[in-house]
Amino acid sequence: MKSIVLLICLLAVIPCVQAQQIGLIANPDGRKTISLDGQWRAIIDPYETGYYDYRYQPSADGYFKNAKPKTKSDLIEYDFDNSGSLKVPGDWNTQEERLLFYEGTIWYKKAFDYQRKPNTRLFVYFGAANYLADVYLNGEKLGRHEGGFTPFNFEITNLVRDTGNFLIVKVDNQRRRDAVPTLITDWWNYGGLTRRVKLVETPATFVQDYFIQLQKGSRGRISGWVKLNGNKLNQKVQIRIPEARISKSFTTDANGSAQITFDADLTLWSPDNPKLYDVLIAAETDQVQDQIGFRTIETRGTEILLNGRPIFLRGVCIHEEAPFRGGRAYSREDALTLLSWAKELGVNFVRLAHYPHNEFMLREADRLGIMVWSEIPVYWTILWENSATLENAQNQLREMITRDKNRAAVIVWSMANETPLSNARLSFLKKLIEQARSLDSTRLISAAMERHYTDEKTQMIDDPLGEYLDVLGCNEYVGWYDGLPEKADRLEWKTTYQKPLIMSEFGAEAPYGNHGDPLTRWTEEYQENAYQHQVSMLKRISFLRGTCPWILMDFRSPRRPLTGIQDFHNRKGLISDQGQKKKAFFVMQKYYQEMWGTLPK
Ligand code: GCU
């Protein structure tokens, strides 16, 4: 009896053999897709009753079965089709008032029909689900994904039916000490299917992934690879860039991989000319088109060089918060609104904090000529000695790089934000850096570090992590958490590294329209005052090569309860969440306009 119970429990949790796990599919929008966005049925399940039995054992009869009473006497205690619904993409917190503070499990169900085709494979692709997603099709487990800000997909070719398919996702955004991020963040823990969900159709053997960028340090040689997936792995593959009259052939090996290198005379991507080329990756059985820009990014001493020329990164930090309506941003419109406000500020660079943002942000940055710092949520005090935590962080890093490695706009991969010094932390982050360099040697590696005083007027950046970075990132709040605004006038900045510095955060807080004198906290005048002193201090830092004020727009935060001022929002935005520009916005805009004339745009 005991062994039968054990067997049933095992069967409940092991993914069904029919559901295959394959790596991430690159550029789903460049393929044949069917959107599953819209209203999904939803069951709120605070006690995970749909997953565990009363003995806290995974149940074989969970909500993923989408069971219906067959007779009048049948006992089924849930019914998706009589439950409420939630919009996908979208966080659940801003869709219903009662869910604003909800942290736990919600089950999503989407029914769909699909006409199966010969020699055709089918995948379900999620842009993101915060935080832990268990995915089922027609009652069978497809798999689990952990991490709220990167995409994942499962193959459903052998499971999908022509009619009556039900895709069920258990999304759980409970915070955990061993998770990434961990328990405390200064951003709202928006839960749900926060980005687009789609079916992706491919031939039996298809172009699963590719990396096509300029070779590190070369402005005339492309180097990368192509990866096929399927049963016909040894194929001819062509890389075509019609506008540049380029067509190069390669042959994939028995694993479906081909290294590609070839000379190319291309117009380089830059903020003042964000040139993108149509690039075709054509195998014998499949082809994918993408829009790719080509540029080089490197450092030389304290200089950052774009296409071989020194550049200053006029930046701003952005959270993935939707303008006006609030909640997780997910659409092209959201991205265009945020990036056009950043452009108004005079930026050529944005720091997407503190996690990979949706793909629209990266694609629009490519088109608009805005360079990007992209980061994984290794934020504050992660469990450095926990191997599962490291694996989780490594997986999020791999997914971030896999999705965005062909975006010319992305110039910096950031490994972490404000993490406390320790040997365990250093070894954790060194492993991430090694992994990032092995996945992509063409971009700069950084992290947002902290500084310390060596005496009352000297700021020192000598975090041991700096040794392993290409660019130093440093967050400082002189004039807000550290003294009053004029304190910045007395400070000098030093570092033990001969490397460029990006001041990755600085700022002060004020709700729009709150006015007073320049020393009254929470007023626009105080924020303006803080920025004026910041700008003059920044101008005195000899190795400074980039600035990213915290932050473009006010955003929701559970750590900011101050009634009438913050109301669970961090008000350090230069713009309110309703698009109103605060006085400090114009201090930064003036600083960037002054700079605009001195170095390449
Ligand atoms: C930190 C942190 C941000 C936070 C900001 C603030 O430095 O990196 O996530 O929102 O400071 O306190 O406003």
Side-chain angles (χ1 to χ4, degrees):
M1 180 58 186
K2 208 149 162 273
S3 53
I4 295 171
V5 171
L6 192 62
L7 182 66
I8 291 169
C9 293
L10 270 180
L11 281 176
V13 291
I14 295 173
C16 170
V17 285
Q18 291 172 336
Q20 279 109 24
Q21 302 276 7
I22 75 156
L24 203 52
I25 297 173
N27 184 19
D29 291 334
R31 304 167 193 269
K32 179 142 184 359
T33 61
I34 300 161
S35 172
L36 292 179
D37 293 345
Q39 292 298 323
W40 288 50
R41 291 287 177 185
I43 298 177
I44 303 165
D45 185 10
Y47 280 47
E48 299 179 273
T49 310
Y51 189 82
Y52 294 105
D53 63 21
Y54 77 117
R55 292 276 181 254
Y56 201 54
Q57 294 301 314
S59 156
D61 266 331
Y63 291 178
F64 52 85
K65 287 292 183 192
N66 188 29
K68 299 285 180 189
K70 293 192 183 59
T71 72
K72 65 180 179 183
S73 315
D74 273 0
L75 171 60
I76 307 284
E77 295 190 274
Y78 68 94
D79 181 357
F80 277 104
D81 300 322
N82 244 330
S83 304
S85 67
L86 287 170
K87 186 178 154 315
V88 172
D91 61 274
W92 61 58
N93 310 73
T94 55
Q95 293 192 47
E96 292 184 29
E97 184 140 2
R98 65 181 175 152
L99 294 176
L100 182 59
F101 288 88
Y102 182 67
E103 294 184 296
T105 283
I106 293 188
W107 293 84
Y108 286 78
K109 189 205 89 167
K110 186 75 175 176
F112 67 93
D113 297 340
Y114 172 74
Q115 186 52 57
R116 285 174 299 172
K117 304 178 185 76
N119 300 320
T120 302
R121 296 166 70 183
L122 192 67
F123 302 84
V124 58
Y125 183 100
F126 296 84
N130 192 48
Y131 172 77
L132 189 62
D134 289 288
V135 185
Y136 306 81
L137 182 69
N138 300 338
E140 299 294 337
K141 180 107 186 221
L142 301 180
R144 163 175 280 195
H145 182 266
E146 179 160 0
F149 304 101
T150 47
F152 54 99
N153 48 239
F154 300 107
E155 176 154 18
I156 58 173
T157 310
N158 303 332
L159 275 171
V160 73
R161 310 168 184 154
D162 289 342
T163 58
N165 295 289
F166 52 94
L167 180 64
I168 291 182
V169 189
K170 173 186 186 293
V171 182
D172 175 5
N173 76 334
Q174 280 181 76
R175 287 168 291 125
R176 297 195 330 265
R177 184 70 189 89
D178 64 335
V180 179
T182 183
L183 292 173
I184 303 178
T185 64
D186 192 27
W187 69 81
W188 205 264
N189 183 23
Y190 291 122
L193 295 176
T194 52
R195 294 182 190 156
R196 296 174 297 158
V197 183
K198 64 193 83 167
L199 299 176
V200 180
E201 251 184 25
T202 74
T205 301
F206 69 101
V207 177
Q208 178 181 353
D209 199 359
Y210 49 88
F211 187 18
I212 304 174
Q213 286 279 287
L214 284 173
Q215 191 166 296
K216 187 160 185 64
S218 156
R219 289 189 285 283
R221 190 151 183 79
I222 286 184
S223 143
W225 47 264
V226 174
K227 174 93 181 71
L228 302 183
N229 181 296
N231 46 27
K232 194 171 178 304
L233 293 177
N234 192 217
Q235 291 194 20
K236 275 220 164 325
V237 172
Q238 276 200 329
I239 308 297
R240 292 204 285 269
I241 310 179
E243 192 185 336
R245 302 182 194 293
I246 289 174
S247 176
K248 299 286 177 187
S249 294
F250 304 88
T251 306
T252 50
D253 62 20
N255 301 320
S257 300
Q259 294 302 316
I260 62 164
T261 51
F262 56 91
D263 292 337
D265 179 15
L266 299 167
T267 302
L268 299 181
W269 181 97
S270 69
D272 44 349
N273 181 15
K275 173 66 184 166
L276 298 177
Y277 285 89
D278 287 336
V279 177
L280 214 64
I281 301 97
E284 293 159 29
T285 56
D286 183 29
Q287 68 178 42
V288 183
Q289 174 145 334
D290 205 342
Q291 291 68 46
I292 301 180
F294 299 91
R295 52 97 193 94
T296 65
I297 188 76
E298 50 205 323
T299 61
R300 187 181 56 211
T302 59
E303 293 301 343
I304 298 176
L305 308 176
L306 175 71
N307 300 330
R309 297 176 58 199
I311 194 158
F312 188 95
L313 302 174
R314 303 186 310 275
V316 71
C317 296
I318 302 181
H319 253 304
E320 194 184 40
E321 180 94 25
F324 306 111
R325 70 174 191 276
R328 248 316 144 235
Y330 58 76
S331 68
R332 188 186 305 282
E333 294 66 40
D334 293 336
L336 285 173
T337 302
L338 293 167
L339 294 175
S340 59
W341 286 347
K343 275 267 190 185
E344 272 184 69
L345 187 65
V347 311
N348 60 7
F349 178 63
V350 290
R351 175 184 176 206
L352 302 182
H354 292 289
Y355 38 77
H357 287 212
N358 65 76
E359 201 171 344
F360 287 123
M361 281 298 265
L362 286 304
R363 294 268 179 189
E364 294 311 320
D366 248 9
R367 264 184 270 279
L368 292 168
I370 299 177
M371 293 173 281
V372 169
W373 159 307
S374 186
E375 183 165 292
I376 50 172
V378 175
Y379 181 90
W380 290 348
T381 313
I382 295 283
L383 268 188
W384 309 110
E385 279 145 321
N386 182 305
S387 59
T389 302
L390 175 62
E391 226 177 278
N392 178 357
Q394 288 175 321
N395 184 52
Q396 295 190 40
L397 179 64
R398 185 180 314 106
E399 289 172 350
M400 171 175 79
I401 294 181
T402 298
R403 189 194 72 183
D404 298 332
K405 60 187 178 300
N406 291 306
R407 303 284 71 76
V410 180
I411 60 167
V412 176
W413 299 122
S414 169
M415 302 300 113
N417 180 75
E418 291 186 357
T419 48
L421 305 192
S422 76
N423 292 338
R425 167 254 192 186
L426 187 60
S427 96
F428 186 107
L429 295 179
K430 278 168 68 180
K431 291 193 182 91
L432 292 179
I433 293 169
E434 279 153 28
Q435 183 197 4
R437 291 196 193 285
S438 69
L439 291 169
D440 173 15
S441 63
T442 68
R443 289 181 174 85
L444 306 176
I445 304 292
S446 189
M449 301 179 288
E450 297 174 294
R451 39 103 223 184
H452 64 97
Y453 284 83
T454 50
D455 57 42
E456 67 181 37
K457 67 174 182 56
T458 306
Q459 302 285 277
M460 176 56 79
I461 301 173
D462 59 0
D463 180 330
L465 179 64
E467 180 77 38
Y468 307 95
L469 304 177
D470 300 308
V471 177
L472 309 172
C474 183
N475 297 356
E476 52 89 7
Y477 283 91
V478 176
W480 185 253
Y481 296 124
D482 175 8
L484 296 177
E486 43 72 36
K487 181 175 184 177
D489 306 345
R490 304 193 293 277
L491 299 181
E492 248 188 272
W493 285 79
K494 290 196 174 141
T495 179
T496 48
Y497 301 109
Q498 187 56 22
K499 295 183 179 182
L501 168 66
I502 296 174
M503 203 62 90
S504 40
E505 285 182 37
F506 54 93
E509 200 152 344
Y512 173 76
N514 191 33
H515 293 288
D517 70 70
L519 284 178
T520 299
R521 292 261 175 182
W522 309 112
T523 63
E524 285 196 43
E525 286 71 21
Y526 186 106
Q527 189 189 37
E528 180 186 37
N529 181 15
Y531 269 86
Q532 283 157 345
H533 288 278
Q534 276 285 334
V535 166
S536 55
M537 176 188 74
L538 293 166
K539 285 178 179 170
R540 289 186 285 110
I541 306 175
S542 61
F543 51 102
L544 184 72
R545 290 297 177 276
T547 48
C548 278
W550 187 263
I551 185 164
L552 178 70
M553 184 188 87
D554 294 353
F555 61 96
R556 204 179 251 117
S557 166
R559 300 179 75 247
R560 312 290 171 174
L562 188 58
T563 310
I565 297 274
Q566 296 175 314
D567 298 317
F568 286 112
H569 283 74
N570 182 313
R571 302 285 184 198
K572 291 194 181 71
L574 293 168
I575 298 178
S576 75
D577 51 316
Q578 297 309 310
Q580 303 138 316
K581 296 183 177 65
K582 305 175 191 178
K583 286 186 170 185
F585 177 95
F586 302 102
V587 176
M588 276 313 289
Q589 189 185 51
K590 184 163 165 288
Y591 173 43
Y592 284 167
Q593 271 157 1
E594 276 165 18
M595 209 186 282
W596 189 285
T598 54
L599 282 171
K601 301 252 177 316

